[in-house]
Amino acid sequence: MTQNMRSISPPSPDSVNVPLPTASPSSPRPRSLMESLLVAKMEQAGLACPPGRPLVRTDSADSASSLGSIASNASDICRCDDCLLGIADLYALGPAEENKQRKKPSGWRKLRNIVQWTPFFQIYKKQRYPWVQLAGHQGNFKAGPDQGTILKKLSVKEEKCFKVLMKDVLRPYVPEYKGLVTSDDGECSYIQLQDLLGDFVSPCVMDCKIGVRTYLEEELAKAKEKPKLRKDMYEKMVQIDTQAPTEEEHRLKAVTKPRYMVWRETISSTATLGFRIEGIRKADGTSSKDFKTTKTKEQIIKAFMEFTDTFPHAVPKYIQRLKAIKATLEASDFFSTHEVIGSSLLFVHDRYNANVWLIDFAKTLLLPEEITIDHSSYWKVGNHEDGYLIGINNLISIFVTMLEKQRVCVTPPLTLPDPTEPPEQNEPEKDET
């Protein structure tokens, strides 16, 4: 709070009798109940309100009309609640300080601006949560200019995909694309997207990268054209598995990029199940990306069970959504004509709801005209298969397995008997002997 503001506590009903609106000697207009209440507050705080002076606001955006002359007509004085709440500043000052105060923003105006723009009050209007970036380059996301939106650094390929997706049957399963935004300095461009977490309260979030590979064929081809020994990739490899490099690679303390790219997919569930966990963030804010070697179905189930622990309603909702996504993918023109690489499924749930969306299309490319893929076959160099549906099918299978293991049935019966007739009374018991 600014120093100009005076601390005025609201009077209790017992200690202050709010006077009824009475006419001021200098103004024929009677005081409103709000003005009378403010006079009572000032009197309680020891601030004199001369009976001959009208209640005027201390300041506003327009200095010429905000304060007004003390002798100005009462009809020219703004008496909205916001302005009236600033009158204490005026009467707390002596006449010598009054003109000086008129040129300064009032304490209430400053407070009102704080109330209007402080993030707390924006959150109060509608619960909002920052985009949770569980994988990829940090700093790619920032809050959007409009409520319920986020900004992601521009990828021309991804923007092109979103423009097509907004006209495809997949539109309900991807974040809504809202156009391009340029930073104030003009140096960075962003795509504005729907904030998928905006309607959740303390959400749990999981990012699963879908497909049997996460690199483009052209990336691998370029890496093979001029293979270079990479010490940084060797170090990443030995951090995960010291036995992974060959004797020659250990001697050179370096590996080539193609070697590392192919090896990286084999240590996780990407190559075997068609997806891998990139990161998980729980409702309490704790997060983990330690899933590089989470490979077997049993390991995945354990991670998923921890992710949905105490949220049993999420599992059947995830199954329903994944089945809907699969059916829509099979009918999608976008999906049939694109190689979807490095894309993810974003799983989000809270105490009341759960949902899944397709995200990340920076490596999704239009297929060459002579190439067709079914997204269900394993990849070989040149066939452009991504194995996307392999991942979807395995995700559905794993969640179904989890649902069968749940102790409590969270899905109500589809039909209930209609009690049109009362049960028969005094029905003889059957002799089971």
Side-chain angles (χ1 to χ4, degrees):
M1 193 71 66
T2 60
Q3 293 181 350
N4 291 333
M5 290 293 293
R6 298 295 189 272
S7 175
I8 304 177
S9 58
S12 63
D14 298 333
S15 62
V16 177
N17 293 320
V18 180
L20 293 174
T22 57
S24 170
S26 61
S27 174
R29 189 187 68 81
R31 286 176 178 162
S32 68
L33 183 60
M34 178 68 179
E35 292 169 324
S36 300
L37 178 62
L38 288 169
V39 169
K41 287 183 179 181
M42 287 192 292
E43 289 175 351
Q44 184 189 30
L47 302 176
C49 178
R53 300 177 67 184
L55 297 174
V56 296
R57 54 179 170 167
T58 56
D59 234 0
S60 149
D62 185 356
S63 61
S65 62
S66 61
L67 182 64
S69 169
I70 294 299
S72 64
N73 192 294
S75 61
D76 296 331
I77 299 171
C78 176
R79 285 182 168 82
C80 71
D81 290 355
D82 281 357
C83 293
L84 288 173
L85 285 174
I87 63 177
D89 283 345
L90 183 64
Y91 292 108
L93 299 172
E97 295 293 325
E98 189 172 304
N99 290 332
K100 188 184 300 182
Q101 174 65 10
R102 292 177 185 178
K103 299 179 182 179
K104 299 178 182 179
S106 74
W108 168 246
R109 175 168 176 77
K110 292 179 181 178
L111 176 62
R112 186 172 55 187
N113 288 338
I114 294 173
V115 169
Q116 184 177 359
W117 297 111
T118 298
F120 171 80
F121 287 92
Q122 295 297 321
I123 293 171
Y124 177 79
K125 292 177 182 178
K126 179 182 178 182
Q127 287 285 0
R128 293 184 63 190
Y129 294 90
W131 184 273
V132 179
Q133 184 174 351
L134 296 174
H137 298 288
Q138 296 300 316
N140 275 359
F141 294 94
K142 60 188 298 186
D146 302 322
Q147 193 167 3
T149 67
I150 56 101
L151 297 180
K152 184 178 182 181
K153 279 190 178 179
L154 173 65
S155 161
V156 176
K157 294 177 182 177
E158 186 166 35
E159 185 205 8
K160 194 176 294 184
C161 287
F162 271 114
K163 286 181 176 179
V164 178
L165 283 164
M166 291 300 98
K167 301 175 183 179
D168 192 80
V169 293
L170 280 171
R171 177 170 180 164
Y173 302 97
V174 300
E176 184 181 353
Y177 170 69
K178 298 178 179 290
L180 280 177
V181 175
T182 304
S183 61
D184 294 337
D185 56 14
E187 293 184 359
C188 293
S189 294
Y190 301 87
I191 54 175
Q192 186 175 194
L193 301 172
Q194 171 193 0
D195 181 3
L196 300 177
L197 308 186
D199 294 327
F200 290 84
V201 178
S202 299
C204 302
V205 185
M206 178 171 66
D207 181 320
C208 285
K209 198 167 288 293
I210 309 298
V212 294
R213 59 187 167 95
T214 59
Y215 51 83
L216 294 167
E217 289 201 352
E218 62 183 41
E219 289 181 288
L220 187 62
K222 287 180 180 179
K224 286 182 176 180
E225 285 178 4
K226 297 179 181 179
K228 294 181 180 179
L229 290 173
R230 298 279 298 270
K231 291 187 177 182
D232 59 328
M233 291 183 173
Y234 168 82
E235 291 171 357
K236 289 181 181 179
M237 186 181 285
V238 295
Q239 281 179 358
I240 297 172
D241 184 1
T242 57
Q243 303 300 317
T246 63
E247 291 183 6
E248 180 67 10
E249 289 168 342
H250 274 306
R251 186 181 67 81
L252 297 172
K253 295 190 181 300
V255 297
T256 64
K257 186 175 181 178
R259 159 86 165 111
Y260 176 80
M261 292 167 69
V262 174
W263 168 82
R264 183 183 58 185
E265 310 294 48
T266 64
I267 64 172
S268 70
S269 57
T270 291
T272 54
L273 298 176
F275 75 91
R276 72 169 181 244
I277 303 173
E278 285 289 286
I280 289 177
R281 176 165 176 162
K282 296 185 178 180
D284 60 5
T286 59
S287 60
S288 174
K289 298 180 185 178
D290 189 22
F291 300 100
K292 291 184 177 67
T293 58
T294 303
K295 184 176 182 178
T296 67
K297 195 170 184 179
E298 290 72 24
Q299 290 173 319
I300 294 289
I301 289 176
K302 181 181 178 182
F304 281 9
M305 291 186 75
E306 290 178 358
F307 173 58
T308 58
D309 187 32
T310 71
F311 300 93
H313 66 281
V315 175
K317 288 186 177 181
Y318 283 149
I319 295 171
Q320 183 181 25
R321 180 75 166 180
L322 287 169
K323 288 182 176 180
I325 287 174
K326 178 185 176 183
T328 308
L329 286 170
E330 292 171 342
S332 166
D333 291 335
F334 176 89
F335 191 61
S336 65
T337 56
H338 285 76
E339 175 184 358
V340 186
I341 303 298
S343 182
S344 291
L345 287 179
L346 189 72
F347 294 78
V348 186
H349 66 258
D350 61 11
R351 290 177 57 193
Y352 310 101
N353 200 9
N355 217 330
V356 187
W357 289 273
L358 286 71
I359 61 170
D360 297 339
F361 301 99
K363 288 187 177 183
T364 296
L365 298 178
L366 189 66
L367 286 165
E369 291 184 3
E370 69 279 5
I371 297 293
T372 57
I373 62 176
D374 58 20
H375 303 278
S376 296
S377 302
Y378 281 93
W379 172 70
K380 294 180 181 178
V381 177
N383 72 358
H384 288 268
E385 288 288 354
D386 53 28
Y388 200 98
L389 290 177
I390 295 175
I392 295 287
N393 288 332
N394 280 318
L395 279 166
I396 293 173
S397 174
I398 287 172
F399 276 114
V400 168
T401 300
M402 291 171 58
L403 185 62
E404 292 171 351
K405 292 183 178 181
Q406 281 187 177
R407 297 179 181 176
V408 180
C409 179
V410 295
T411 305
L414 297 178
T415 58
L416 292 174
D418 187 7
T420 55
E421 298 180 3
E424 295 183 7
Q425 301 294 328
N426 301 323
E427 183 178 352
E429 296 182 1
K430 294 182 180 180
D431 186 5
E432 298 181 357
T433 58

